[in-house]
Structures are given as structure tokens and as C-alpha cells.
Amino acid sequence: MAASVREKQAAALKRMLNFNTSPLKNTAAEPVWKVLIYDRFGQDIISPLLAVKELRDMGITLHLLLHSDRDPIPDVPAIYFVMPTEENIDRICQDLRNQLYESYYLNFISAISRSKLEDIASAALSANAVTQVTKVFDQYLNFITLEDDMFILCNQNKELISYHAINKPDIMDTEMEAIMDTIVDSLFCFFVTLGAVPIIRCPRGNAAEMVAVKLDKKLRENLRDARNSLFTGDNMGAGQFSFQRPLFVLADRNLDLATPLHHTWTYQALIHDVLDFHLNRVSMDESVGSEASPSGARPKKKNKKSYDLTAADKFWQKHKGSPFPEVAESVQEELDTYRAQEDEVKRLKSIMGLEGEDEGPISSISMSDNTAKLTSAVSSLPELLEKKRLIDLHTNVATAVLDHIKSRKLDVYFEYEEKLMSKSTLEKSLLDIISDPDAGTPEDKMRLFLIFYITALQPPSETDLDQYKKALLETGCDLSSLNYIKQWKAFTKIAATPSNYGNSGVKPMGLFSRVMNSGSQFVMEGVKHLVLKQHVSSFTHTHTDIPAHRIMHRNTHIQMRGLRPLNSNMHFLSVRSVSKHSCSPNSSTPRNKNPFQEAIVFVVGGGNYIEYQNLVDYTKAKPGKRVLYGCSELFNAGQFIKQLSSLGQK
């Protein structure tokens, strides 16, 4: 299997940090010490891929933000990794004039324009620093890779390409063009890093089609000049263009507004929904002791604690897509294993008298045997300590998630929404849940009602709707998001039917409600008891029929058969060949009839971990295939509902 986009982007960054030359392997030579200067965009790209230790190993002694106050370090080279914006160019020119560093290696996240390059050249000339500007590179790394099979376009200024920005009613044509160009620039960078020219499929008549057409045009323009093409050099192996091109399926967020609002129960998606989780780092309030503050004293301030959930964390890699009760059970098993190993070390130390305990005479054979065991135990101590750190990490995170589940009755919402989306029989009326003061926050109730409204075969009558609105207002809900959803439904005339939202395979068996009252106890040091759900292996949360999955499945099916598109509403774009004579825009059917090996699903308007996990589960059932998930921005339900509310304000 080819290297993942995460590995390719990390390799490109390491090459950049080595002065744009390939790092030497197995070398004992000390790296050249340098400083790294990045802007917020560069920081967001690097942080999920390279840890501080890795930067240090590559000779980065200091990493600083471009617009921070920086002291001169005149005998050290500086590597810049920034967006080519006016503000950044001005600051680089200022650094040249101030002679901050020995030499300058300028790396731009996206391609820099000729005029801005001339501005830098003028500044270097006036500062007499032309010889110090050693290299200038366009890196084409303007996207953020969060997983081996997941990427987003940006974290900074994401409101500029958000669902709200694309769908606001008073948007000007020039604004829409700018949004589309921004998205296309990042997608172009993604495919340059991937080293492949895609076959593009998208629905017609929405923002996804605009992105597809612009991206297709940009790819063609780059391929016309074979000498300077970014896809015909080292980035692309022989034959890859013709035979192993990925299928790129663009979807529009407006095709499915229910899934981003859905409550979930898989570990990663739950963390993103209820905690502060972005760029693979979760931040939460540290639990404070139960002791009361002295009379009249200020209450103790809660400290923020942050944890990095990285690819190096084996537990996270194994369980991030697992149902939450399974995660709790696995943490308990890890804790039991750790305690058994810890007890064994203590027992050996005690037997050998290392704790001052007299265990009586020990034979030389027994002593030798125990010494070997103790030596082995001590040598594994670093691994044991790392295991304990990860157990503590997931214990704290899982406990924080469980607190939200219990206090907001998220299990009730999850089950009810599953039944709504799969058209199952409802045991409780929607009005009862909305009116229950102990069930969830106003936001939870609004999310549930919006899913009901979106997925309903027939909209509720005006009388029923007024009754629902009254109940929602009494619980403190903001109805602005409902105003927008009504407009959206009226405009698109889309009624989500069972074909849009199918049965996810989750049986309504009281996923967490039984857990709260029975089951084994998940005991952790210093935290509350976390209760387990028994026999969860029979549950799967796959949402095999959510729209993003259906679009991808149909398109990969078409591609594998090499057929003409079955649905006239789908737009097909393909650059047939590297030759400039055959770059005709009129290609209508794929010439390649080989089964696809790699597909990329990208959602214009924002995505979520529910869709990502759905595609991961789909891929597991397709050995030898790889599906990547991408989105213009990554939001949780709370962030999405705020965008809907903003659009629905009158």
C-alpha cells in the first residue's frame, strides 16, 4: 500500500526542515541547529504531525510565531513556514531589514505570487541581505492532516470558508468566487502532496460542483506544461497517472444536514462533541480535590489540562472508533494488566529483601531466578511508566465524557435519533423528551428536534409545530436554526426519506441506561466510578446509509465497473492524459476500467467525525482499498447549530 497522505505531508515537512534536502538516514552526524518561524497556519499544519521532540531531533532549537516579538540571533539560520499574505510578507521584509538571522530559508505554504516575491527581493536589496536569502520554496502544504485517512483544509480563519459563509443569503458573486478559490487552492496542494491526479465526481448545481470545475481547470493548467508540472516529476511514479488515479468524490453539506447534528457514541466523535477537541488535542478542566475551601476563601481555580491524542498512542489508534462502553471496558483491562505488572515488581523486590522485609533464607537458584525476573521487570519500567501515563490520560478523558453522558442523558438522545433516522417505532413522544427538564441542554433538545424536522417524510402541521416551538422556547432554545432549516427545505424541496437515512444497525437496547444501574464498576484512582456496559460487542454504529456514504458507494461502484454515470445529477471530470493535446474538457466517461484502489470523499461546507468513522468502517470491509475523508472545516454539532442559527436570524 502506498504511503498515507499523513506520511507524505510529514516527509515533506521534514525535508523542508532539512533545508529542502532529503534527511540522511542512519546518520550519527549532529544536525545543523536552526530556528523555525511560522504563522498560525503553519503551526496548525505542523502540530498534528511533528512533536516538539521530533523538531529538536531535526535541529530546531527554537520555534516562534512570525508576528511575535523576536530577538536577533545573528549566527543561526532561520526556516520560515508561512502563508504568502501581505502581513506576513511585510514582516519577513522587516526581519531582513533588522538582520535577525544568519540566513533565511523562505517556505510558503501556498504558491506565492510574482508581485509579492518582488517585494521580498526589493527588501533584501535595500537591506543588503540578498546573499542571506538562501532559498525560496512553494511547499504546497496548505491543508491539515489529522489522521492517516483524514484531512481538513484549515483551522485558522475557517469562518471564511464555513457553511455559513457559503450559504448566507446576501453573498456576492465575488465573495463566492473567493471562497471557492480558497478551497481549490488547498485541494490542489493536497493532490500535489499526494502525488496523484484524481478522477472527479460531484453532484450538479451546488457549491461542490463549483469546486470540482475550478479544481479540474487548475489541474489541467498545471499539466499542460510538462516541464514545470507538479505531477510529472518525483511526486508521481511511472504509470500512477494512468492506472492508479484516485477517485475524488465531492459532496455538498446541504445534501445532509442531519448527520452533523446527530448525537453519537463512538469515542472520538463523543470527545469532539462534548469536550474541547481540535487538531488532535483535547483540553479539559482538571478535576479538583473534594476538600472544601476555608470559610471566606475564594474557590480553587480549575486548571486546564491538555492531552495529545496521537498516532503513537496505541490505545487511541485501536479504540478511537469503538463504542464508548467498549472503551471503558478496555481501559479497565489495561489498568488491571498494569497493576498486575506493578504487583509483580513489588513482590520480587520484597522476596529479594530490597524493601527491608525478611522473607527467610532463599536458595541460590531461586535468588538467581528472581534476579533475572527483577532485571527484566526493571528494564521494562520505561514502557510500564508510558503505559501508566496513557491509562491516566484515557481515564481522565473517558470520565469527563461520561459526566456529560450522565448529566445530559445523551444515551436517550442517541437512541431516539437513531429511531428517527431509521424510521423505527418510537416508544416515547418527542414532546416528552423536549419537556423533560432533566434530559439534556437546550442545545441537545434543539438538535433532536431539527433531526426530526429534517428527516420527517411530512413536515408537522402548523398546530403541532406551534406546540413544539412553545416547548422548545420554554426550555430556553433559540429557534433561529429552525427558521433556516424551514427555508432550506422549502428551497431544496428535499424530504429526507428512508433511502437518505437508513437503519444504522444499532438495536435499541438501552445503550447506557442499563449501564447506569448495573454492570461491573470501572474503578480509577482519584476519579468517579465509571460504569461499564456489558455485552456491547453486538452493537455496531456504522450508519451505512448516511448520504455521504451512499454518494461514495455509488460512485466507487460506477468507477469499478468503468461505466457511464448512472445518475445524470452527478458531474464527471477527468484529465485524460498528461499530453496537452488530449486535455479536452469534454471527457464524459472514465477510460480506466481497473478497480479503484483509493477514493477520497470531500465535503464542501464542513464535516464531522461521524461521517469519518462511517467511511473507516466501510473501508475495513474492503481489503486492499483505501478511502480518505476530508472536509473544508471540522465542526461539532454545537458549532454547526450556531452557524444555522446565524443564517436563520431575521
Side-chain angles (χ1 to χ4, degrees), residues 327-364:
V327 175
E329 192 170 13
S330 298
V331 174
Q332 178 66 61
E333 291 170 0
E334 291 284 329
L335 189 59
D336 292 342
T337 303
Y338 168 78
R339 283 175 172 165
Q341 291 174 303
E342 189 181 45
D343 291 343
E344 177 66 11
V345 174
K346 289 178 180 177
R347 187 185 69 81
L348 290 169
K349 287 171 70 178
S350 177
I351 290 174
M352 299 184 71
L354 296 178
E355 293 183 344
E357 299 178 16
D358 186 8
E359 295 290 333
I362 305 171
S363 68
S364 59

Side-chain angles (χ1 to χ4, degrees), residues 483-552:
N483 295 335
Y484 176 73
I485 293 297
K486 288 174 70 176
Q487 295 167 12
W488 167 77
K489 273 202 123 177
F491 180 73
T492 57
K493 301 193 183 304
I494 294 175
T497 62
S499 64
N500 292 84
Y501 301 97
N503 194 327
S504 70
V506 181
K507 300 175 184 177
M509 293 176 62
L511 301 175
F512 290 105
S513 51
R514 296 184 190 180
V515 176
M516 302 306 172
N517 302 315
S518 61
S520 62
Q521 300 238 321
F522 178 21
V523 185
M524 311 176 186
E525 286 113 320
V527 295
K528 297 178 182 178
H529 290 197
L530 179 60
V531 192
L532 290 185
K533 173 78 179 70
Q534 298 295 318
H535 311 300
V536 293
S537 59
S538 61
F539 295 100
T540 55
H541 181 57
T542 55
H543 258 315
T544 50
D545 285 324
I546 65 174
H549 178 277
R550 283 171 39 249
I551 290 171
M552 197 280 296

Side-chain angles (χ1 to χ4, degrees), residues 40 53 67 263 272 298 313 319 331 344 443 468 487:
R40 293 287 183 189
K53 183 183 180 300
H67 292 282
H263 290 83
H272 190 235
R298 289 183 180 180
D313 183 343
H319 293 291
V331 174
E344 177 66 11
E443 184 183 282
Y468 285 126
Q487 295 167 12

Side-chain angles (χ1 to χ4, degrees), residues 268-298:
Q268 187 178 43
L270 263 172
I271 291 172
H272 190 235
D273 190 9
V274 303
L275 301 179
D276 179 12
F277 181 53
H278 67 284
L279 299 184
N280 295 346
R281 170 170 287 192
V282 58
S283 300
M284 45 195 262
D285 290 328
E286 200 171 19
S287 56
V288 292
S290 58
E291 66 274 6
S293 300
S295 179
R298 289 183 180 180

Side-chain angles (χ1 to χ4, degrees), residues 328-523:
E329 192 170 13
S330 298
V331 174
Q332 178 66 61
E333 291 170 0
E334 291 284 329
L335 189 59
D336 292 342
T337 303
Y338 168 78
R339 283 175 172 165
Q341 291 174 303
E342 189 181 45
D343 291 343
E344 177 66 11
V345 174
K346 289 178 180 177
R347 187 185 69 81
L348 290 169
K349 287 171 70 178
S350 177
I351 290 174
M352 299 184 71
L354 296 178
E355 293 183 344
E357 299 178 16
D358 186 8
E359 295 290 333
I362 305 171
S363 68
S364 59
I365 296 175
S366 174
M367 176 67 81
S368 174
D369 184 45
N370 284 320
T371 301
K373 286 182 179 178
L374 185 60
T375 302
S376 174
V378 170
S379 65
S380 66
L381 194 58
E383 184 181 341
L384 206 59
L385 290 171
E386 175 63 11
K387 182 180 286 188
K388 179 64 165 65
R389 184 188 71 81
L390 293 177
I391 291 171
D392 289 344
L393 184 163
H394 290 288
T395 294
N396 293 336
V397 172
T399 303
V401 170
L402 185 72
D403 287 344
H404 282 273
I405 293 171
K406 285 182 174 180
S407 64
R408 293 162 57 183
K409 296 187 178 179
L410 298 185
D411 53 306
V412 174
Y413 283 93
F414 170 72
E415 289 180 50
Y416 202 91
E417 288 164 7
E418 284 292 321
K419 291 176 183 177
L420 280 176
M421 296 170 84
S422 61
K423 303 297 180 283
S424 301
T425 305
L426 302 174
E427 298 171 4
K428 194 175 183 180
S429 79
L430 180 63
L431 211 54
D432 287 343
I433 296 180
I434 292 173
S435 304
D436 185 352
D438 298 323
T441 62
E443 184 183 282
D444 291 323
K445 298 175 192 293
M446 199 67 223
R447 286 165 61 179
L448 174 63
F449 181 74
L450 290 178
I451 290 173
F452 159 73
Y453 193 86
I454 291 167
T455 58
L457 292 173
Q458 294 293 330
S461 65
E462 285 300 318
T463 305
D464 290 342
L465 189 58
D466 289 341
Q467 197 174 4
Y468 285 126
K469 282 182 177 180
K470 183 182 177 183
L472 290 166
L473 286 170
E474 286 174 354
T475 61
C477 292
D478 178 5
L479 300 185
S480 300
S481 54
L482 176 60
N483 295 335
Y484 176 73
I485 293 297
K486 288 174 70 176
Q487 295 167 12
W488 167 77
K489 273 202 123 177
F491 180 73
T492 57
K493 301 193 183 304
I494 294 175
T497 62
S499 64
N500 292 84
Y501 301 97
N503 194 327
S504 70
V506 181
K507 300 175 184 177
M509 293 176 62
L511 301 175
F512 290 105
S513 51
R514 296 184 190 180
V515 176
M516 302 306 172
N517 302 315
S518 61
S520 62
Q521 300 238 321
F522 178 21
V523 185

